Amino acid sequence: MDRMHFGRKYIRLKRPITMRIDVRSMMITVIFLITITLIALFALMFGTLQLSIAEVFSALIGELTGFKRTVVFEWRLPRILAAIFFGAGLAVSGAIFQSITRNPLASPDILGFTAGSYTGALIVMLVMGSMSFPAIATGALVGGFVTAVLIYLFAFRKGIQSFRLIIVGIAISTVLSSFNSILLLQSEAEVALTAGAWGVGSLNEVTWNHVLPAILIVWVFLLFAFIMNRPLREMELGKDVSKSHGVPFERTQRILIFIAVALTATATAVMGPVAFVALAAPQIALRMTKAATSLAPTATVGAFVLLSADVLAQHFIPGIILPVGVLTLSIGGLYLVWLLFYQARSAL
């Protein structure tokens, strides 16, 4: 390993592949990974049934059987892994959109992709009358990608401009939100209540059958995103500069948008729309690393935010398990107000 100094500390690896690692970003990533592990252990141990750390490990390796193993392996572990992977996916998706638009307010929930997934799920539940998980998840995936295509087509004019993408995304999000409200108001109360609860975003009912395929999909697209991290950072310098560095700007932009939409749609298909994780996590990582967009710390921050919010939602009110979306919406709303105030003050 050789050390390189450009105002920041870097480690240059020559084997097995040549790469340069920012020391500060690596340390923050490791710290968050350790924190996530500790929170996950807490979530496995505590709940209505409290277990020791020895019982948790025995259940995970298959030595402990019976009801306690069911609690750990079948009920708590899928929820924890879903929070970790979906939080990472949402954070990386938000980082991609914020880098492409060069705007900290750009995220899947602001731009309308989350609303599109919710519309697809509502059409399945309220129009088609199906309440099965595979049908709802498929509807959410289709809704998210159809919305992405619409936004791209309306925003495209000799390329994608960040301001136009944001304006078109907000406009389509507003239209879809109104359409979703109409669907809910015209439906029977019981069905509308179920659909509305899904729209808050929750991990309360997840099982291995729901989570495992989605985790695999998120994992694959996270790998694709990490591979595209260098072109993403080049694109932050602008279209002309990135092209001069050999980055095919338009094609790279389309690939990154597809990856970001896939991450958001997959997570939303399982747990419903969870707001503000994609908005806040990239900015938190950016301020902690004090560097250009790096997806590894961003992913760990997103996993930490969603997992912490879900654990807090389970223990915030004794005897009541809140949907995680309620907590992220409440905290995220305060964060959005602060971010808008910070942006306005910086512009003065």
PDB file of all heavy atoms in Angstrom, residues 118-131 136 179-196:
ATOM      1  N   TYR A 118     -46.492   4.045  -5.019  1.00  0.00           N
ATOM      2  CA  TYR A 118     -47.719   3.986  -4.212  1.00  0.00           C
ATOM      3  C   TYR A 118     -48.953   3.937  -5.105  1.00  0.00           C
ATOM      4  O   TYR A 118     -49.904   3.196  -4.820  1.00  0.00           O
ATOM      5  CB  TYR A 118     -47.766   5.205  -3.294  1.00  0.00           C
ATOM      6  CG  TYR A 118     -48.889   5.182  -2.277  1.00  0.00           C
ATOM      7  CD1 TYR A 118     -49.376   3.981  -1.767  1.00  0.00           C
ATOM      8  CD2 TYR A 118     -49.443   6.362  -1.811  1.00  0.00           C
ATOM      9  CE1 TYR A 118     -50.389   3.958  -0.833  1.00  0.00           C
ATOM     10  CE2 TYR A 118     -50.463   6.355  -0.863  1.00  0.00           C
ATOM     11  CZ  TYR A 118     -50.934   5.150  -0.386  1.00  0.00           C
ATOM     12  OH  TYR A 118     -51.946   5.128   0.548  1.00  0.00           O
ATOM     13  N   THR A 119     -48.923   4.689  -6.205  1.00  0.00           N
ATOM     14  CA  THR A 119     -50.047   4.652  -7.150  1.00  0.00           C
ATOM     15  C   THR A 119     -50.222   3.262  -7.735  1.00  0.00           C
ATOM     16  O   THR A 119     -51.348   2.747  -7.828  1.00  0.00           O
ATOM     17  CB  THR A 119     -49.824   5.667  -8.287  1.00  0.00           C
ATOM     18  OG1 THR A 119     -49.686   6.980  -7.737  1.00  0.00           O
ATOM     19  CG2 THR A 119     -50.981   5.642  -9.271  1.00  0.00           C
ATOM     20  N   GLY A 120     -49.123   2.634  -8.124  1.00  0.00           N
ATOM     21  CA  GLY A 120     -49.198   1.281  -8.664  1.00  0.00           C
ATOM     22  C   GLY A 120     -49.768   0.298  -7.665  1.00  0.00           C
ATOM     23  O   GLY A 120     -50.600  -0.552  -8.007  1.00  0.00           O
ATOM     24  N   ALA A 121     -49.347   0.427  -6.392  1.00  0.00           N
ATOM     25  CA  ALA A 121     -49.875  -0.464  -5.357  1.00  0.00           C
ATOM     26  C   ALA A 121     -51.355  -0.210  -5.107  1.00  0.00           C
ATOM     27  O   ALA A 121     -52.140  -1.155  -4.928  1.00  0.00           O
ATOM     28  CB  ALA A 121     -49.074  -0.275  -4.066  1.00  0.00           C
ATOM     29  N   LEU A 122     -51.765   1.065  -5.114  1.00  0.00           N
ATOM     30  CA  LEU A 122     -53.175   1.393  -4.886  1.00  0.00           C
ATOM     31  C   LEU A 122     -54.058   0.867  -6.015  1.00  0.00           C
ATOM     32  O   LEU A 122     -55.181   0.402  -5.769  1.00  0.00           O
ATOM     33  CB  LEU A 122     -53.347   2.911  -4.766  1.00  0.00           C
ATOM     34  CG  LEU A 122     -52.903   3.557  -3.453  1.00  0.00           C
ATOM     35  CD1 LEU A 122     -53.140   5.052  -3.496  1.00  0.00           C
ATOM     36  CD2 LEU A 122     -53.623   2.933  -2.261  1.00  0.00           C
ATOM     37  N   ILE A 123     -53.594   0.941  -7.234  1.00  0.00           N
ATOM     38  CA  ILE A 123     -54.379   0.420  -8.361  1.00  0.00           C
ATOM     39  C   ILE A 123     -54.617  -1.077  -8.193  1.00  0.00           C
ATOM     40  O   ILE A 123     -55.721  -1.590  -8.436  1.00  0.00           O
ATOM     41  CB  ILE A 123     -53.669   0.723  -9.695  1.00  0.00           C
ATOM     42  CG1 ILE A 123     -53.730   2.229  -9.984  1.00  0.00           C
ATOM     43  CG2 ILE A 123     -54.299  -0.059 -10.839  1.00  0.00           C
ATOM     44  CD1 ILE A 123     -52.941   2.650 -11.207  1.00  0.00           C
ATOM     45  N   VAL A 124     -53.579  -1.791  -7.729  1.00  0.00           N
ATOM     46  CA  VAL A 124     -53.728  -3.227  -7.504  1.00  0.00           C
ATOM     47  C   VAL A 124     -54.726  -3.485  -6.378  1.00  0.00           C
ATOM     48  O   VAL A 124     -55.617  -4.338  -6.491  1.00  0.00           O
ATOM     49  CB  VAL A 124     -52.360  -3.862  -7.181  1.00  0.00           C
ATOM     50  CG1 VAL A 124     -52.547  -5.311  -6.719  1.00  0.00           C
ATOM     51  CG2 VAL A 124     -51.453  -3.819  -8.391  1.00  0.00           C
ATOM     52  N   MET A 125     -54.609  -2.745  -5.278  1.00  0.00           N
ATOM     53  CA  MET A 125     -55.450  -2.992  -4.109  1.00  0.00           C
ATOM     54  C   MET A 125     -56.884  -2.503  -4.291  1.00  0.00           C
ATOM     55  O   MET A 125     -57.836  -3.213  -3.947  1.00  0.00           O
ATOM     56  CB  MET A 125     -54.826  -2.318  -2.873  1.00  0.00           C
ATOM     57  CG  MET A 125     -53.591  -3.012  -2.348  1.00  0.00           C
ATOM     58  SD  MET A 125     -52.986  -2.300  -0.780  1.00  0.00           S
ATOM     59  CE  MET A 125     -52.091  -0.873  -1.395  1.00  0.00           C
ATOM     60  N   LEU A 126     -57.050  -1.306  -4.839  1.00  0.00           N
ATOM     61  CA  LEU A 126     -58.368  -0.676  -4.861  1.00  0.00           C
ATOM     62  C   LEU A 126     -59.109  -0.855  -6.178  1.00  0.00           C
ATOM     63  O   LEU A 126     -60.338  -0.930  -6.182  1.00  0.00           O
ATOM     64  CB  LEU A 126     -58.223   0.823  -4.562  1.00  0.00           C
ATOM     65  CG  LEU A 126     -57.527   1.174  -3.245  1.00  0.00           C
ATOM     66  CD1 LEU A 126     -57.454   2.677  -3.062  1.00  0.00           C
ATOM     67  CD2 LEU A 126     -58.226   0.520  -2.061  1.00  0.00           C
ATOM     68  N   VAL A 127     -58.403  -0.900  -7.283  1.00  0.00           N
ATOM     69  CA  VAL A 127     -59.053  -1.039  -8.594  1.00  0.00           C
ATOM     70  C   VAL A 127     -59.166  -2.511  -8.990  1.00  0.00           C
ATOM     71  O   VAL A 127     -60.237  -2.995  -9.375  1.00  0.00           O
ATOM     72  CB  VAL A 127     -58.295  -0.243  -9.673  1.00  0.00           C
ATOM     73  CG1 VAL A 127     -58.953  -0.431 -11.038  1.00  0.00           C
ATOM     74  CG2 VAL A 127     -58.249   1.237  -9.312  1.00  0.00           C
ATOM     75  N   MET A 128     -58.033  -3.234  -8.868  1.00  0.00           N
ATOM     76  CA  MET A 128     -58.035  -4.653  -9.249  1.00  0.00           C
ATOM     77  C   MET A 128     -58.562  -5.541  -8.130  1.00  0.00           C
ATOM     78  O   MET A 128     -58.891  -6.707  -8.353  1.00  0.00           O
ATOM     79  CB  MET A 128     -56.624  -5.073  -9.658  1.00  0.00           C
ATOM     80  CG  MET A 128     -56.078  -4.282 -10.847  1.00  0.00           C
ATOM     81  SD  MET A 128     -54.363  -4.699 -11.239  1.00  0.00           S
ATOM     82  CE  MET A 128     -54.518  -6.435 -11.655  1.00  0.00           C
ATOM     83  N   GLY A 129     -58.602  -5.027  -6.904  1.00  0.00           N
ATOM     84  CA  GLY A 129     -59.178  -5.769  -5.781  1.00  0.00           C
ATOM     85  C   GLY A 129     -58.318  -6.886  -5.247  1.00  0.00           C
ATOM     86  O   GLY A 129     -58.830  -7.803  -4.600  1.00  0.00           O
ATOM     87  N   SER A 130     -57.015  -6.822  -5.457  1.00  0.00           N
ATOM     88  CA  SER A 130     -56.119  -7.874  -4.965  1.00  0.00           C
ATOM     89  C   SER A 130     -55.330  -7.355  -3.770  1.00  0.00           C
ATOM     90  O   SER A 130     -54.774  -6.262  -3.807  1.00  0.00           O
ATOM     91  CB  SER A 130     -55.150  -8.313  -6.070  1.00  0.00           C
ATOM     92  OG  SER A 130     -54.220  -9.254  -5.562  1.00  0.00           O
ATOM     93  N   MET A 131     -55.283  -8.144  -2.701  1.00  0.00           N
ATOM     94  CA  MET A 131     -54.531  -7.771  -1.509  1.00  0.00           C
ATOM     95  C   MET A 131     -53.350  -8.704  -1.274  1.00  0.00           C
ATOM     96  O   MET A 131     -52.736  -8.674  -0.198  1.00  0.00           O
ATOM     97  CB  MET A 131     -55.454  -7.786  -0.279  1.00  0.00           C
ATOM     98  CG  MET A 131     -56.635  -6.837  -0.372  1.00  0.00           C
ATOM     99  SD  MET A 131     -56.147  -5.096  -0.575  1.00  0.00           S
ATOM    100  CE  MET A 131     -55.413  -4.786   1.029  1.00  0.00           C
ATOM    101  N   ILE A 136     -49.313  -6.728  -5.022  1.00  0.00           N
ATOM    102  CA  ILE A 136     -49.060  -5.360  -4.568  1.00  0.00           C
ATOM    103  C   ILE A 136     -47.625  -4.951  -4.868  1.00  0.00           C
ATOM    104  O   ILE A 136     -47.359  -3.839  -5.348  1.00  0.00           O
ATOM    105  CB  ILE A 136     -49.348  -5.228  -3.055  1.00  0.00           C
ATOM    106  CG1 ILE A 136     -50.830  -5.457  -2.777  1.00  0.00           C
ATOM    107  CG2 ILE A 136     -48.917  -3.858  -2.536  1.00  0.00           C
ATOM    108  CD1 ILE A 136     -51.171  -5.540  -1.303  1.00  0.00           C
ATOM    109  N   PHE A 179     -54.258  11.950  -7.313  1.00  0.00           N
ATOM    110  CA  PHE A 179     -54.905  10.756  -7.851  1.00  0.00           C
ATOM    111  C   PHE A 179     -55.023   9.675  -6.778  1.00  0.00           C
ATOM    112  O   PHE A 179     -56.061   8.998  -6.665  1.00  0.00           O
ATOM    113  CB  PHE A 179     -54.114  10.237  -9.045  1.00  0.00           C
ATOM    114  CG  PHE A 179     -54.679   8.988  -9.668  1.00  0.00           C
ATOM    115  CD1 PHE A 179     -55.873   9.021 -10.386  1.00  0.00           C
ATOM    116  CD2 PHE A 179     -54.021   7.773  -9.526  1.00  0.00           C
ATOM    117  CE1 PHE A 179     -56.393   7.874 -10.951  1.00  0.00           C
ATOM    118  CE2 PHE A 179     -54.538   6.618 -10.089  1.00  0.00           C
ATOM    119  CZ  PHE A 179     -55.728   6.670 -10.800  1.00  0.00           C
ATOM    120  N   ASN A 180     -53.977   9.524  -5.967  1.00  0.00           N
ATOM    121  CA  ASN A 180     -54.013   8.539  -4.874  1.00  0.00           C
ATOM    122  C   ASN A 180     -55.110   8.880  -3.874  1.00  0.00           C
ATOM    123  O   ASN A 180     -55.813   7.989  -3.368  1.00  0.00           O
ATOM    124  CB  ASN A 180     -52.660   8.495  -4.172  1.00  0.00           C
ATOM    125  CG  ASN A 180     -51.560   7.946  -5.068  1.00  0.00           C
ATOM    126  OD1 ASN A 180     -51.837   7.322  -6.090  1.00  0.00           O
ATOM    127  ND2 ASN A 180     -50.325   8.199  -4.693  1.00  0.00           N
ATOM    128  N   SER A 181     -55.265  10.160  -3.568  1.00  0.00           N
ATOM    129  CA  SER A 181     -56.311  10.580  -2.633  1.00  0.00           C
ATOM    130  C   SER A 181     -57.696  10.274  -3.190  1.00  0.00           C
ATOM    131  O   SER A 181     -58.594   9.842  -2.454  1.00  0.00           O
ATOM    132  CB  SER A 181     -56.184  12.075  -2.343  1.00  0.00           C
ATOM    133  OG  SER A 181     -54.938  12.362  -1.734  1.00  0.00           O
ATOM    134  N   ILE A 182     -57.877  10.489  -4.501  1.00  0.00           N
ATOM    135  CA  ILE A 182     -59.169  10.184  -5.129  1.00  0.00           C
ATOM    136  C   ILE A 182     -59.479   8.687  -5.031  1.00  0.00           C
ATOM    137  O   ILE A 182     -60.603   8.286  -4.710  1.00  0.00           O
ATOM    138  CB  ILE A 182     -59.162  10.641  -6.600  1.00  0.00           C
ATOM    139  CG1 ILE A 182     -59.105  12.172  -6.669  1.00  0.00           C
ATOM    140  CG2 ILE A 182     -60.388  10.122  -7.345  1.00  0.00           C
ATOM    141  CD1 ILE A 182     -58.910  12.712  -8.062  1.00  0.00           C
ATOM    142  N   LEU A 183     -58.460   7.860  -5.293  1.00  0.00           N
ATOM    143  CA  LEU A 183     -58.661   6.412  -5.195  1.00  0.00           C
ATOM    144  C   LEU A 183     -59.074   6.009  -3.782  1.00  0.00           C
ATOM    145  O   LEU A 183     -59.977   5.181  -3.593  1.00  0.00           O
ATOM    146  CB  LEU A 183     -57.382   5.677  -5.592  1.00  0.00           C
ATOM    147  CG  LEU A 183     -57.013   5.661  -7.078  1.00  0.00           C
ATOM    148  CD1 LEU A 183     -55.680   4.945  -7.286  1.00  0.00           C
ATOM    149  CD2 LEU A 183     -58.093   4.982  -7.905  1.00  0.00           C
ATOM    150  N   LEU A 184     -58.422   6.584  -2.784  1.00  0.00           N
ATOM    151  CA  LEU A 184     -58.732   6.235  -1.399  1.00  0.00           C
ATOM    152  C   LEU A 184     -60.127   6.704  -0.995  1.00  0.00           C
ATOM    153  O   LEU A 184     -60.867   5.979  -0.319  1.00  0.00           O
ATOM    154  CB  LEU A 184     -57.685   6.848  -0.469  1.00  0.00           C
ATOM    155  CG  LEU A 184     -56.287   6.220  -0.512  1.00  0.00           C
ATOM    156  CD1 LEU A 184     -55.295   7.076   0.264  1.00  0.00           C
ATOM    157  CD2 LEU A 184     -56.306   4.803   0.038  1.00  0.00           C
ATOM    158  N   LEU A 185     -60.518   7.896  -1.426  1.00  0.00           N
ATOM    159  CA  LEU A 185     -61.818   8.448  -1.054  1.00  0.00           C
ATOM    160  C   LEU A 185     -62.981   7.693  -1.690  1.00  0.00           C
ATOM    161  O   LEU A 185     -64.076   7.622  -1.129  1.00  0.00           O
ATOM    162  CB  LEU A 185     -61.887   9.924  -1.436  1.00  0.00           C
ATOM    163  CG  LEU A 185     -61.009  10.877  -0.601  1.00  0.00           C
ATOM    164  CD1 LEU A 185     -61.020  12.267  -1.192  1.00  0.00           C
ATOM    165  CD2 LEU A 185     -61.477  10.900   0.850  1.00  0.00           C
ATOM    166  N   GLN A 186     -62.751   7.116  -2.871  1.00  0.00           N
ATOM    167  CA  GLN A 186     -63.822   6.419  -3.581  1.00  0.00           C
ATOM    168  C   GLN A 186     -63.902   4.933  -3.235  1.00  0.00           C
ATOM    169  O   GLN A 186     -64.767   4.235  -3.766  1.00  0.00           O
ATOM    170  CB  GLN A 186     -63.636   6.590  -5.093  1.00  0.00           C
ATOM    171  CG  GLN A 186     -63.874   8.007  -5.580  1.00  0.00           C
ATOM    172  CD  GLN A 186     -63.778   8.120  -7.090  1.00  0.00           C
ATOM    173  OE1 GLN A 186     -63.249   7.227  -7.750  1.00  0.00           O
ATOM    174  NE2 GLN A 186     -64.314   9.201  -7.636  1.00  0.00           N
ATOM    175  N   SER A 187     -63.059   4.474  -2.356  1.00  0.00           N
ATOM    176  CA  SER A 187     -63.042   3.051  -2.014  1.00  0.00           C
ATOM    177  C   SER A 187     -63.788   2.801  -0.712  1.00  0.00           C
ATOM    178  O   SER A 187     -64.079   3.734   0.048  1.00  0.00           O
ATOM    179  CB  SER A 187     -61.592   2.562  -1.877  1.00  0.00           C
ATOM    180  OG  SER A 187     -60.880   2.787  -3.067  1.00  0.00           O
ATOM    181  N   GLU A 188     -64.100   1.558  -0.458  1.00  0.00           N
ATOM    182  CA  GLU A 188     -64.743   1.184   0.791  1.00  0.00           C
ATOM    183  C   GLU A 188     -63.810   1.465   1.961  1.00  0.00           C
ATOM    184  O   GLU A 188     -62.592   1.371   1.840  1.00  0.00           O
ATOM    185  CB  GLU A 188     -65.112  -0.298   0.770  1.00  0.00           C
ATOM    186  CG  GLU A 188     -66.162  -0.653  -0.285  1.00  0.00           C
ATOM    187  CD  GLU A 188     -66.516  -2.123  -0.258  1.00  0.00           C
ATOM    188  OE1 GLU A 188     -65.984  -2.830   0.625  1.00  0.00           O
ATOM    189  OE2 GLU A 188     -67.318  -2.559  -1.104  1.00  0.00           O
ATOM    190  N   ALA A 189     -64.408   1.800   3.094  1.00  0.00           N
ATOM    191  CA  ALA A 189     -63.629   2.281   4.238  1.00  0.00           C
ATOM    192  C   ALA A 189     -62.580   1.268   4.691  1.00  0.00           C
ATOM    193  O   ALA A 189     -61.423   1.622   4.942  1.00  0.00           O
ATOM    194  CB  ALA A 189     -64.576   2.614   5.392  1.00  0.00           C
ATOM    195  N   GLU A 190     -62.958  -0.004   4.774  1.00  0.00           N
ATOM    196  CA  GLU A 190     -62.038  -1.017   5.285  1.00  0.00           C
ATOM    197  C   GLU A 190     -60.848  -1.206   4.354  1.00  0.00           C
ATOM    198  O   GLU A 190     -59.699  -1.259   4.789  1.00  0.00           O
ATOM    199  CB  GLU A 190     -62.774  -2.344   5.471  1.00  0.00           C
ATOM    200  CG  GLU A 190     -61.909  -3.426   6.111  1.00  0.00           C
ATOM    201  CD  GLU A 190     -62.671  -4.708   6.360  1.00  0.00           C
ATOM    202  OE1 GLU A 190     -63.922  -4.680   6.236  1.00  0.00           O
ATOM    203  OE2 GLU A 190     -62.038  -5.716   6.675  1.00  0.00           O
ATOM    204  N   VAL A 191     -61.126  -1.287   3.052  1.00  0.00           N
ATOM    205  CA  VAL A 191     -60.052  -1.468   2.071  1.00  0.00           C
ATOM    206  C   VAL A 191     -59.179  -0.221   2.006  1.00  0.00           C
ATOM    207  O   VAL A 191     -57.951  -0.305   1.930  1.00  0.00           O
ATOM    208  CB  VAL A 191     -60.644  -1.782   0.674  1.00  0.00           C
ATOM    209  CG1 VAL A 191     -59.528  -1.947  -0.348  1.00  0.00           C
ATOM    210  CG2 VAL A 191     -61.498  -3.037   0.735  1.00  0.00           C
ATOM    211  N   ALA A 192     -59.816   0.952   2.038  1.00  0.00           N
ATOM    212  CA  ALA A 192     -59.062   2.206   1.996  1.00  0.00           C
ATOM    213  C   ALA A 192     -58.168   2.350   3.217  1.00  0.00           C
ATOM    214  O   ALA A 192     -57.047   2.866   3.125  1.00  0.00           O
ATOM    215  CB  ALA A 192     -60.020   3.386   1.896  1.00  0.00           C
ATOM    216  N   LEU A 193     -58.632   1.878   4.373  1.00  0.00           N
ATOM    217  CA  LEU A 193     -57.836   1.947   5.596  1.00  0.00           C
ATOM    218  C   LEU A 193     -56.585   1.081   5.469  1.00  0.00           C
ATOM    219  O   LEU A 193     -55.483   1.492   5.849  1.00  0.00           O
ATOM    220  CB  LEU A 193     -58.674   1.505   6.786  1.00  0.00           C
ATOM    221  CG  LEU A 193     -58.014   1.617   8.162  1.00  0.00           C
ATOM    222  CD1 LEU A 193     -57.674   3.066   8.479  1.00  0.00           C
ATOM    223  CD2 LEU A 193     -58.920   1.033   9.242  1.00  0.00           C
ATOM    224  N   THR A 194     -56.753  -0.122   4.906  1.00  0.00           N
ATOM    225  CA  THR A 194     -55.609  -1.011   4.703  1.00  0.00           C
ATOM    226  C   THR A 194     -54.617  -0.408   3.724  1.00  0.00           C
ATOM    227  O   THR A 194     -53.398  -0.423   3.954  1.00  0.00           O
ATOM    228  CB  THR A 194     -56.082  -2.378   4.186  1.00  0.00           C
ATOM    229  OG1 THR A 194     -57.010  -2.942   5.116  1.00  0.00           O
ATOM    230  CG2 THR A 194     -54.902  -3.322   4.002  1.00  0.00           C
ATOM    231  N   ALA A 195     -55.147   0.138   2.617  1.00  0.00           N
ATOM    232  CA  ALA A 195     -54.280   0.755   1.618  1.00  0.00           C
ATOM    233  C   ALA A 195     -53.576   1.989   2.176  1.00  0.00           C
ATOM    234  O   ALA A 195     -52.401   2.232   1.894  1.00  0.00           O
ATOM    235  CB  ALA A 195     -55.100   1.135   0.382  1.00  0.00           C
ATOM    236  N   GLY A 196     -54.296   2.766   2.985  1.00  0.00           N
ATOM    237  CA  GLY A 196     -53.686   3.939   3.593  1.00  0.00           C
ATOM    238  C   GLY A 196     -52.592   3.578   4.573  1.00  0.00           C
ATOM    239  O   GLY A 196     -51.561   4.247   4.650  1.00  0.00           O
TER     240      GLY A 196
END
